[in-house]
Amino acid sequence: MTSAIATKDKIRAQGLSLFYGDNQALFDINLEMPEGSITAFIGPSGCGKSTLLRTLNRMNDLIPNVTINGEVLVDGENIYAPDTDVVNLRKNVGMVFQRPNPFPMSIYDNIAYGPRIHGIRKKRDLDEIVERSLQQAALWDEVKDRLGKSAMGLSGGQQQRLCIARLLAVDPQVLLMDEPTSALDPISTLKVEELTQELKSKYTIIIVTHNMQQAARISDTTAFFLNGVMVEHGVTDKLFTNPTDQRTEDYITGRFG
Amino acid sequence: MDSRKGFHQSLEELQREILKMGVLVEEAIYLGVKSLANLDVQMAQNVIDGDRKINDLMVDVESACLRLLALQQPMASDLRVIGTAMKIVTDLERIGDHAVDIAKTTLRLSGDKLLKPLVDTPRMADLAKEMLRDALNAYVSHDVTVAEQLAKKDDVVDGLYKHIFNELQGMMEENSAHVKQGIMLLIVCQHLERIADHATNIGEWVIYMVSGDRKDLNV
């Protein structure tokens, strides 16, 4: 079975290089990430995959001595242009982290936090957003009777889905996921994976994962990185059954490392 | 450095088991046809009894493949090696069954006299056997060229089959008393023709295993 790949690019990295001081961490990355699909980044530790993910919503801005050359286009607009509204960018391109990081407040307030910042005040509107977001994150049924309780009381898997719901509440277009299941148990992992399949029709998803089977299970396209270089990018089915580059072959069959 | 050494050793073990199976199957073809040419009932019975070992080997390889799929989650060429192993053992097992059917013909003809000494049938058997050996050599040495050459040899086998078909048809038309044995010998040739097809299938799987491409050699 060949995965259907949407043709329109949602995000595109063009000639992207990144330096931490004098150390170059990314080398001339050219990569299109199609709308309405899941792109996985795989590669050994230190290969640059998380660094690249963070360039997609300018999270690297927060790190001193980072220099970025090239462009990242979201819907054709370069997000590194001087007039970019970074807050708005991060609303459109949200990120889920390795460890769930709920705010120390109620489940409801976690979800309502973003919409409130963006000016939504009416309780009825907020109620609707909270329910819709939790529904979309497949968490509603588990928490609907305890929305006022602290989010810190949820299990790890529930917390991660809460964080996804929190992103969805501000109506993003792209979800960046940085090893979103590495701290979760297998069942919670499967729930998050299942969730990505439901979300991808509406959102463009880019996921960094150390788990190659996870990349194979959930993504439509996969990019393999090594030492800051994108070695191969292609349809996931093909990359995991018959990769083009010998380095990809060696990595995914465990013949180096 | 290979970080999955144990797993890759298991893949090599699969290959050894398949070769073991290949040797038994090749011998079954040889003895099956020889038993027919000599109407040697004991030899035919040995072929029939020996099929069990071939079937057992197939089950062993299939089980090992399923275990590796479940426990090792193979990717890329490793995945293709396992998929190919599962397909090849099916072809080998079928070849074994054809050899058994040939041996059973020997039993059915026991006590009879052959219409004529078998010449082309053993030739066809030799060719089919040679194709099987080529297919297994291609498998072991990951040699796509050898695998691709099976297509040509299969054409030769098909040509021989047509020749024998015409010859037996003529004999049956001449004398209706020859029909029963004529049909049996024709079916034997059909088995040999199918054996050559299975060898060609193995060649196709070798090409897939090595290159990831699917190619039809039996056109």
Side-chain angles (χ1 to χ4, degrees):
Chain A
M1 193 183 74
T2 308
S3 302
I5 304 299
T7 46
K8 188 181 168 236
D9 295 338
K10 184 70 187 176
I11 306 195
R12 175 192 287 263
Q14 244 168 224
L16 190 75
S17 294
L18 182 143
F19 300 80
Y20 292 119
D22 293 334
N23 285 333
Q24 188 163 0
L26 292 175
F27 293 80
D28 192 27
I29 307 289
N30 292 288
L31 174 64
E32 304 91 42
M33 288 148 272
E35 186 168 49
S37 73
I38 301 180
T39 303
F41 293 172
I42 62 166
S45 296
C47 71
K49 57 191 189 296
S50 289
T51 300
L52 177 62
L53 191 79
R54 286 197 301 268
T55 62
L56 303 181
N57 73 348
R58 291 185 51 171
M59 292 292 275
N60 290 318
D61 286 12
L62 310 172
I63 302 171
N65 289 327
V66 166
T67 313
I68 293 169
N69 299 327
E71 293 183 333
V72 173
L73 306 174
V74 176
D75 288 328
E77 299 288 325
N78 182 14
I79 64 169
Y80 285 94
D83 58 348
T84 300
D85 176 349
V86 178
V87 173
N88 197 42
L89 168 70
R90 292 192 189 133
K91 174 186 159 307
N92 282 334
V93 184
M95 186 175 276
V96 181
F97 298 89
Q98 197 168 349
R99 292 197 168 273
N101 53 350
F103 302 141
M105 51 179 77
S106 73
I107 293 169
Y108 184 100
D109 287 339
N110 262 275
I111 309 294
Y113 189 87
R116 279 182 181 133
I117 283 181
H118 291 285
I120 298 172
R121 292 271 176 258
K122 277 190 195 161
K123 179 153 188 327
R124 203 198 312 159
D125 293 345
L126 287 171
D127 285 353
E128 199 185 301
I129 290 171
V130 168
E131 178 169 350
R132 191 192 63 223
S133 307
L134 288 168
Q135 290 271 19
Q136 280 186 307
L139 191 58
W140 174 252
D141 288 341
E142 293 166 52
V143 300
K144 64 184 175 195
D145 299 325
R146 47 171 169 154
L147 293 175
K149 297 261 170 65
S150 169
M152 308 312 279
L154 296 173
S155 73
Q158 289 172 326
Q159 287 185 4
Q160 193 62 304
R161 279 179 286 145
L162 179 82
C163 293
I164 293 171
R166 195 170 65 192
L167 280 187
L168 301 180
V170 296
D171 204 19
Q173 295 170 26
V174 180
L175 304 179
L176 307 178
M177 298 184 161
D178 193 358
E179 297 182 46
T181 63
S182 61
L184 305 186
D185 68 80
I187 299 296
S188 303
T189 296
L190 290 177
K191 280 188 181 168
V192 170
E193 288 183 6
E194 185 66 26
L195 180 58
T196 60
Q197 300 304 302
E198 284 162 26
L199 294 176
K200 77 171 183 178
S201 60
K202 205 163 170 231
Y203 308 93
T204 302
I205 298 174
I206 296 138
I207 182 167
V208 164
T209 177
H210 269 299
N211 182 337
M212 281 187 286
Q213 279 71 32
Q214 180 171 69
R217 278 194 297 268
I218 69 172
S219 71
D220 299 295
T221 59
T222 299
F224 169 58
F225 296 88
L226 194 60
N227 301 325
V229 173
M230 188 175 77
V231 172
E232 184 168 350
H233 171 231
V235 174
T236 297
D237 285 4
K238 165 86 166 64
L239 191 131
F240 283 109
T241 56
N242 190 17
T244 305
D245 195 288
Q246 186 61 39
R247 290 167 294 176
T248 315
E249 168 82 31
D250 288 346
Y251 180 68
I252 65 178
T253 59
R255 284 185 169 84
F256 78 52
Chain B
M1 192 193 98
D2 190 343
S3 52
R4 304 187 75 185
K5 209 169 166 193
F7 168 52
H8 292 133
Q9 279 167 351
S10 303
L11 295 183
E12 285 163 20
E13 179 62 25
L14 273 186
Q15 181 173 300
R16 280 194 291 276
E17 291 295 292
I18 285 174
L19 286 184
K20 213 189 279 176
M21 206 175 155
V23 169
L24 291 178
V25 167
E26 201 180 310
E27 191 180 60
I29 303 170
Y30 173 71
L31 293 177
V33 174
K34 192 174 176 193
S35 77
L36 182 69
N38 300 335
L39 292 180
D40 185 332
V41 173
Q42 187 52 53
M43 191 183 281
Q45 193 57 50
N46 289 345
V47 173
I48 294 166
D49 295 342
D51 192 49
R52 194 188 183 145
K53 207 168 172 192
I54 294 172
N55 293 349
D56 288 348
L57 270 171
M58 176 186 73
V59 172
D60 288 349
V61 171
E62 282 176 349
S63 303
C65 288
L66 290 170
R67 201 168 50 242
L68 291 170
L69 285 173
L71 304 182
Q72 299 288 347
Q73 288 101 41
M75 297 280 193
S77 60
D78 294 342
L79 179 67
R80 300 202 303 274
V81 163
I82 293 174
T84 298
M86 288 189 83
K87 296 298 290 186
I88 286 183
V89 288
T90 306
D91 280 308
L92 288 175
E93 190 270 339
R94 293 276 162 81
I95 294 177
D97 287 347
H98 287 301
V100 164
D101 285 334
I102 293 170
K104 281 180 179 167
T105 306
T106 307
L107 297 187
R108 284 191 201 103
L109 288 177
S110 78
D112 288 2
K113 215 176 141 224
L114 288 173
L115 297 176
K116 68 176 207 58
L118 299 183
V119 179
D120 286 330
T121 306
R123 253 183 74 205
M124 202 175 158
D126 284 344
L127 261 175
K129 210 153 49 70
E130 193 183 305
M131 284 176 68
L132 174 62
R133 189 172 303 165
D134 287 352
L136 292 172
N137 281 339
Y139 172 65
V140 176
S141 54
H142 289 219
D143 192 331
V144 171
T145 313
V146 170
E148 281 172 342
Q149 281 163 357
L150 287 165
K152 268 193 189 149
K153 291 192 173 167
D154 192 42
D155 291 343
V156 178
V157 170
D158 290 346
L160 258 177
Y161 174 69
K162 272 179 201 143
H163 172 73
I164 296 172
F165 183 96
N166 290 334
E167 192 183 42
L168 287 170
Q169 191 185 17
M171 290 171 86
M172 287 188 275
E173 278 169 359
E174 242 169 54
N175 184 349
S176 62
H178 292 163
V179 169
K180 187 182 158 204
Q181 196 180 116
I183 290 176
M184 282 191 191
L185 293 177
L186 203 55
I187 291 173
V188 165
C189 290
Q190 234 166 29
H191 286 307
L192 292 172
E193 193 267 335
R194 292 297 300 142
I195 287 172
D197 285 346
H198 283 297
T200 310
N201 287 350
I202 294 174
E204 288 172 359
W205 282 108
V206 169
I207 292 171
Y208 170 73
M209 178 179 79
V210 176
S211 68
D213 297 330
R214 302 295 302 274
K215 197 164 182 181
D216 189 359
L217 294 178
N218 202 353
V219 282

mmCIF file of all heavy atoms in Angstrom, chain B residues 134-163:
data_model
loop_
_atom_site.group_PDB
_atom_site.id
_atom_site.type_symbol
_atom_site.label_atom_id
_atom_site.label_comp_id
_atom_site.label_asym_id
_atom_site.label_seq_id
_atom_site.Cartn_x
_atom_site.Cartn_y
_atom_site.Cartn_z
ATOM 1 N N ASP B 134 20.440 -22.791 -10.212
ATOM 2 C CA ASP B 134 20.777 -21.389 -10.544
ATOM 3 C C ASP B 134 20.047 -20.414 -9.629
ATOM 4 O O ASP B 134 20.613 -19.428 -9.155
ATOM 5 C CB ASP B 134 20.380 -21.085 -12.003
ATOM 6 C CG ASP B 134 21.322 -21.740 -12.997
ATOM 7 O OD1 ASP B 134 22.350 -22.289 -12.551
ATOM 8 O OD2 ASP B 134 21.021 -21.708 -14.199
ATOM 9 N N ALA B 135 18.757 -20.704 -9.411
ATOM 10 C CA ALA B 135 17.956 -19.803 -8.571
ATOM 11 C C ALA B 135 18.547 -19.749 -7.165
ATOM 12 O O ALA B 135 18.670 -18.676 -6.559
ATOM 13 C CB ALA B 135 16.510 -20.276 -8.533
ATOM 14 N N LEU B 136 18.947 -20.921 -6.660
ATOM 15 C CA LEU B 136 19.507 -20.948 -5.301
ATOM 16 C C LEU B 136 20.901 -20.314 -5.258
ATOM 17 O O LEU B 136 21.261 -19.652 -4.276
ATOM 18 C CB LEU B 136 19.546 -22.395 -4.782
ATOM 19 C CG LEU B 136 18.150 -22.991 -4.524
ATOM 20 C CD1 LEU B 136 18.247 -24.478 -4.207
ATOM 21 C CD2 LEU B 136 17.431 -22.271 -3.385
ATOM 22 N N ASN B 137 21.666 -20.506 -6.323
ATOM 23 C CA ASN B 137 22.970 -19.827 -6.391
ATOM 24 C C ASN B 137 22.782 -18.314 -6.411
ATOM 25 O O ASN B 137 23.511 -17.574 -5.743
ATOM 26 C CB ASN B 137 23.737 -20.260 -7.646
ATOM 27 C CG ASN B 137 24.395 -21.613 -7.455
ATOM 28 O OD1 ASN B 137 24.616 -22.044 -6.326
ATOM 29 N ND2 ASN B 137 24.685 -22.303 -8.546
ATOM 30 N N ALA B 138 21.801 -17.867 -7.204
ATOM 31 C CA ALA B 138 21.524 -16.426 -7.263
ATOM 32 C C ALA B 138 21.121 -15.920 -5.882
ATOM 33 O O ALA B 138 21.516 -14.836 -5.452
ATOM 34 C CB ALA B 138 20.402 -16.156 -8.267
ATOM 35 N N TYR B 139 20.363 -16.754 -5.178
ATOM 36 C CA TYR B 139 19.907 -16.385 -3.826
ATOM 37 C C TYR B 139 21.093 -16.233 -2.874
ATOM 38 O O TYR B 139 21.205 -15.224 -2.163
ATOM 39 C CB TYR B 139 18.926 -17.462 -3.341
ATOM 40 C CG TYR B 139 18.519 -17.344 -1.905
ATOM 41 C CD1 TYR B 139 17.775 -16.255 -1.461
ATOM 42 C CD2 TYR B 139 18.871 -18.330 -0.971
ATOM 43 C CE1 TYR B 139 17.401 -16.148 -0.120
ATOM 44 C CE2 TYR B 139 18.493 -18.234 0.351
ATOM 45 C CZ TYR B 139 17.760 -17.142 0.768
ATOM 46 O OH TYR B 139 17.391 -17.028 2.088
ATOM 47 N N VAL B 140 21.976 -17.205 -2.908
ATOM 48 C CA VAL B 140 23.110 -17.170 -1.976
ATOM 49 C C VAL B 140 24.063 -16.026 -2.315
ATOM 50 O O VAL B 140 24.553 -15.320 -1.432
ATOM 51 C CB VAL B 140 23.897 -18.503 -2.040
ATOM 52 C CG1 VAL B 140 25.133 -18.427 -1.156
ATOM 53 C CG2 VAL B 140 23.014 -19.640 -1.605
ATOM 54 N N SER B 141 24.299 -15.837 -3.607
ATOM 55 C CA SER B 141 25.315 -14.836 -3.979
ATOM 56 C C SER B 141 24.692 -13.469 -4.285
ATOM 57 O O SER B 141 25.404 -12.551 -4.698
ATOM 58 C CB SER B 141 26.110 -15.336 -5.188
ATOM 59 O OG SER B 141 25.219 -15.675 -6.226
ATOM 60 N N HIS B 142 23.382 -13.346 -4.053
ATOM 61 C CA HIS B 142 22.681 -12.067 -4.315
ATOM 62 C C HIS B 142 22.937 -11.596 -5.745
ATOM 63 O O HIS B 142 23.230 -10.429 -5.975
ATOM 64 C CB HIS B 142 23.125 -10.988 -3.311
ATOM 65 C CG HIS B 142 22.617 -11.239 -1.932
ATOM 66 N ND1 HIS B 142 22.177 -10.234 -1.108
ATOM 67 C CD2 HIS B 142 22.438 -12.373 -1.241
ATOM 68 C CE1 HIS B 142 21.774 -10.768 0.046
ATOM 69 N NE2 HIS B 142 21.930 -12.053 -0.019
ATOM 70 N N ASP B 143 22.852 -12.546 -6.678
ATOM 71 C CA ASP B 143 23.245 -12.245 -8.052
ATOM 72 C C ASP B 143 22.005 -12.053 -8.935
ATOM 73 O O ASP B 143 21.360 -13.029 -9.354
ATOM 74 C CB ASP B 143 24.121 -13.399 -8.581
ATOM 75 C CG ASP B 143 24.807 -13.039 -9.890
ATOM 76 O OD1 ASP B 143 24.248 -12.223 -10.642
ATOM 77 O OD2 ASP B 143 25.898 -13.584 -10.143
ATOM 78 N N VAL B 144 21.700 -10.806 -9.227
ATOM 79 C CA VAL B 144 20.508 -10.486 -10.016
ATOM 80 C C VAL B 144 20.647 -11.006 -11.452
ATOM 81 O O VAL B 144 19.674 -11.486 -12.043
ATOM 82 C CB VAL B 144 20.266 -8.956 -10.008
ATOM 83 C CG1 VAL B 144 19.183 -8.564 -10.989
ATOM 84 C CG2 VAL B 144 19.878 -8.492 -8.603
ATOM 85 N N THR B 145 21.864 -10.951 -11.997
ATOM 86 C CA THR B 145 22.068 -11.371 -13.388
ATOM 87 C C THR B 145 21.729 -12.842 -13.564
ATOM 88 O O THR B 145 21.022 -13.230 -14.501
ATOM 89 C CB THR B 145 23.540 -11.124 -13.801
ATOM 90 O OG1 THR B 145 23.883 -9.813 -13.372
ATOM 91 C CG2 THR B 145 23.712 -11.215 -15.294
ATOM 92 N N VAL B 146 22.230 -13.665 -12.649
ATOM 93 C CA VAL B 146 21.926 -15.103 -12.729
ATOM 94 C C VAL B 146 20.414 -15.321 -12.620
ATOM 95 O O VAL B 146 19.826 -16.127 -13.353
ATOM 96 C CB VAL B 146 22.683 -15.877 -11.612
ATOM 97 C CG1 VAL B 146 22.205 -17.311 -11.524
ATOM 98 C CG2 VAL B 146 24.181 -15.837 -11.878
ATOM 99 N N ALA B 147 19.795 -14.572 -11.711
ATOM 100 C CA ALA B 147 18.342 -14.711 -11.539
ATOM 101 C C ALA B 147 17.612 -14.348 -12.832
ATOM 102 O O ALA B 147 16.678 -15.041 -13.249
ATOM 103 C CB ALA B 147 17.877 -13.828 -10.381
ATOM 104 N N GLU B 148 18.064 -13.286 -13.465
ATOM 105 C CA GLU B 148 17.381 -12.822 -14.685
ATOM 106 C C GLU B 148 17.505 -13.839 -15.832
ATOM 107 O O GLU B 148 16.613 -13.950 -16.667
ATOM 108 C CB GLU B 148 17.953 -11.472 -15.123
ATOM 109 C CG GLU B 148 17.378 -10.329 -14.294
ATOM 110 C CD GLU B 148 18.064 -8.995 -14.551
ATOM 111 O OE1 GLU B 148 19.186 -8.992 -15.100
ATOM 112 O OE2 GLU B 148 17.481 -7.970 -14.179
ATOM 113 N N GLN B 149 18.628 -14.564 -15.828
ATOM 114 C CA GLN B 149 18.848 -15.540 -16.916
ATOM 115 C C GLN B 149 17.881 -16.726 -16.848
ATOM 116 O O GLN B 149 17.753 -17.491 -17.797
ATOM 117 C CB GLN B 149 20.296 -16.032 -16.890
ATOM 118 C CG GLN B 149 21.237 -15.006 -17.517
ATOM 119 C CD GLN B 149 22.683 -15.249 -17.145
ATOM 120 O OE1 GLN B 149 22.991 -16.149 -16.374
ATOM 121 N NE2 GLN B 149 23.573 -14.438 -17.680
ATOM 122 N N LEU B 150 17.210 -16.861 -15.705
ATOM 123 C CA LEU B 150 16.259 -17.973 -15.565
ATOM 124 C C LEU B 150 15.134 -17.870 -16.583
ATOM 125 O O LEU B 150 14.564 -18.881 -17.002
ATOM 126 C CB LEU B 150 15.687 -17.988 -14.139
ATOM 127 C CG LEU B 150 16.665 -18.470 -13.070
ATOM 128 C CD1 LEU B 150 16.165 -18.108 -11.687
ATOM 129 C CD2 LEU B 150 16.858 -19.973 -13.174
ATOM 130 N N ALA B 151 14.815 -16.634 -16.969
ATOM 131 C CA ALA B 151 13.712 -16.438 -17.920
ATOM 132 C C ALA B 151 13.991 -17.208 -19.211
ATOM 133 O O ALA B 151 13.109 -17.887 -19.740
ATOM 134 C CB ALA B 151 13.533 -14.954 -18.193
ATOM 135 N N LYS B 152 15.224 -17.108 -19.679
ATOM 136 C CA LYS B 152 15.588 -17.773 -20.942
ATOM 137 C C LYS B 152 15.504 -19.288 -20.809
ATOM 138 O O LYS B 152 15.006 -19.983 -21.679
ATOM 139 C CB LYS B 152 17.024 -17.387 -21.328
ATOM 140 C CG LYS B 152 17.060 -16.180 -22.239
ATOM 141 C CD LYS B 152 18.439 -16.014 -22.847
ATOM 142 C CE LYS B 152 18.477 -14.675 -23.576
ATOM 143 N NZ LYS B 152 19.794 -14.088 -23.573
ATOM 144 N N LYS B 153 16.029 -19.794 -19.679
ATOM 145 C CA LYS B 153 16.017 -21.247 -19.473
ATOM 146 C C LYS B 153 14.587 -21.751 -19.362
ATOM 147 O O LYS B 153 14.275 -22.864 -19.806
ATOM 148 C CB LYS B 153 16.812 -21.600 -18.224
ATOM 149 C CG LYS B 153 18.291 -21.349 -18.424
ATOM 150 C CD LYS B 153 19.151 -21.950 -17.346
ATOM 151 C CE LYS B 153 20.617 -21.793 -17.726
ATOM 152 N NZ LYS B 153 21.528 -22.073 -16.642
ATOM 153 N N ASP B 154 13.739 -20.919 -18.788
ATOM 154 C CA ASP B 154 12.337 -21.330 -18.665
ATOM 155 C C ASP B 154 11.710 -21.482 -20.051
ATOM 156 O O ASP B 154 10.885 -22.371 -20.281
ATOM 157 C CB ASP B 154 11.564 -20.293 -17.831
ATOM 158 C CG ASP B 154 10.188 -20.811 -17.441
ATOM 159 O OD1 ASP B 154 10.084 -21.990 -17.058
ATOM 160 O OD2 ASP B 154 9.215 -20.037 -17.549
ATOM 161 N N ASP B 155 12.133 -20.622 -20.969
ATOM 162 C CA ASP B 155 11.624 -20.728 -22.347
ATOM 163 C C ASP B 155 12.041 -22.060 -22.975
ATOM 164 O O ASP B 155 11.265 -22.680 -23.703
ATOM 165 C CB ASP B 155 12.165 -19.572 -23.217
ATOM 166 C CG ASP B 155 11.567 -18.236 -22.782
ATOM 167 O OD1 ASP B 155 10.540 -18.270 -22.063
ATOM 168 O OD2 ASP B 155 12.119 -17.183 -23.157
ATOM 169 N N VAL B 156 13.279 -22.485 -22.679
ATOM 170 C CA VAL B 156 13.751 -23.764 -23.224
ATOM 171 C C VAL B 156 12.902 -24.912 -22.677
ATOM 172 O O VAL B 156 12.493 -25.822 -23.406
ATOM 173 C CB VAL B 156 15.248 -23.985 -22.883
ATOM 174 C CG1 VAL B 156 15.725 -25.329 -23.410
ATOM 175 C CG2 VAL B 156 16.098 -22.855 -23.463
ATOM 176 N N VAL B 157 12.624 -24.857 -21.375
ATOM 177 C CA VAL B 157 11.795 -25.897 -20.751
ATOM 178 C C VAL B 157 10.410 -25.914 -21.398
ATOM 179 O O VAL B 157 9.868 -26.986 -21.725
ATOM 180 C CB VAL B 157 11.685 -25.664 -19.224
ATOM 181 C CG1 VAL B 157 10.636 -26.573 -18.603
ATOM 182 C CG2 VAL B 157 13.027 -25.902 -18.558
ATOM 183 N N ASP B 158 9.851 -24.723 -21.589
ATOM 184 C CA ASP B 158 8.523 -24.652 -22.216
ATOM 185 C C ASP B 158 8.559 -25.256 -23.624
ATOM 186 O O ASP B 158 7.619 -25.950 -24.036
ATOM 187 C CB ASP B 158 8.044 -23.195 -22.291
ATOM 188 C CG ASP B 158 7.698 -22.647 -20.907
ATOM 189 O OD1 ASP B 158 7.575 -23.474 -19.970
ATOM 190 O OD2 ASP B 158 7.549 -21.418 -20.768
ATOM 191 N N GLY B 159 9.666 -25.013 -24.344
ATOM 192 C CA GLY B 159 9.818 -25.554 -25.696
ATOM 193 C C GLY B 159 9.851 -27.081 -25.669
ATOM 194 O O GLY B 159 9.203 -27.755 -26.466
ATOM 195 N N LEU B 160 10.612 -27.626 -24.702
ATOM 196 C CA LEU B 160 10.696 -29.082 -24.560
ATOM 197 C C LEU B 160 9.335 -29.676 -24.238
ATOM 198 O O LEU B 160 8.961 -30.746 -24.748
ATOM 199 C CB LEU B 160 11.675 -29.426 -23.429
ATOM 200 C CG LEU B 160 13.067 -29.892 -23.819
ATOM 201 C CD1 LEU B 160 13.900 -30.120 -22.559
ATOM 202 C CD2 LEU B 160 13.005 -31.198 -24.617
ATOM 203 N N TYR B 161 8.614 -28.970 -23.398
ATOM 204 C CA TYR B 161 7.284 -29.449 -23.015
ATOM 205 C C TYR B 161 6.394 -29.572 -24.259
ATOM 206 O O TYR B 161 5.717 -30.585 -24.464
ATOM 207 C CB TYR B 161 6.664 -28.502 -21.988
ATOM 208 C CG TYR B 161 5.224 -28.855 -21.653
ATOM 209 C CD1 TYR B 161 4.921 -30.017 -20.937
ATOM 210 C CD2 TYR B 161 4.167 -28.035 -22.063
ATOM 211 C CE1 TYR B 161 3.610 -30.363 -20.647
ATOM 212 C CE2 TYR B 161 2.859 -28.376 -21.777
ATOM 213 C CZ TYR B 161 2.580 -29.546 -21.067
ATOM 214 O OH TYR B 161 1.283 -29.876 -20.786
ATOM 215 N N LYS B 162 6.439 -28.545 -25.087
ATOM 216 C CA LYS B 162 5.623 -28.564 -26.312
ATOM 217 C C LYS B 162 6.023 -29.740 -27.202
ATOM 218 O O LYS B 162 5.184 -30.433 -27.771
ATOM 219 C CB LYS B 162 5.790 -27.246 -27.085
ATOM 220 C CG LYS B 162 4.791 -26.198 -26.593
ATOM 221 C CD LYS B 162 4.958 -24.891 -27.328
ATOM 222 C CE LYS B 162 4.364 -23.761 -26.499
ATOM 223 N NZ LYS B 162 5.128 -22.541 -26.586
ATOM 224 N N HIS B 163 7.335 -29.961 -27.299
ATOM 225 C CA HIS B 163 7.856 -31.062 -28.126
ATOM 226 C C HIS B 163 7.333 -32.417 -27.615
ATOM 227 O O HIS B 163 6.825 -33.234 -28.382
ATOM 228 C CB HIS B 163 9.390 -31.014 -28.104
ATOM 229 C CG HIS B 163 10.042 -32.187 -28.742
ATOM 230 N ND1 HIS B 163 10.056 -32.363 -30.113
ATOM 231 C CD2 HIS B 163 10.665 -33.279 -28.206
ATOM 232 C CE1 HIS B 163 10.683 -33.498 -30.379
ATOM 233 N NE2 HIS B 163 11.066 -34.070 -29.242
#
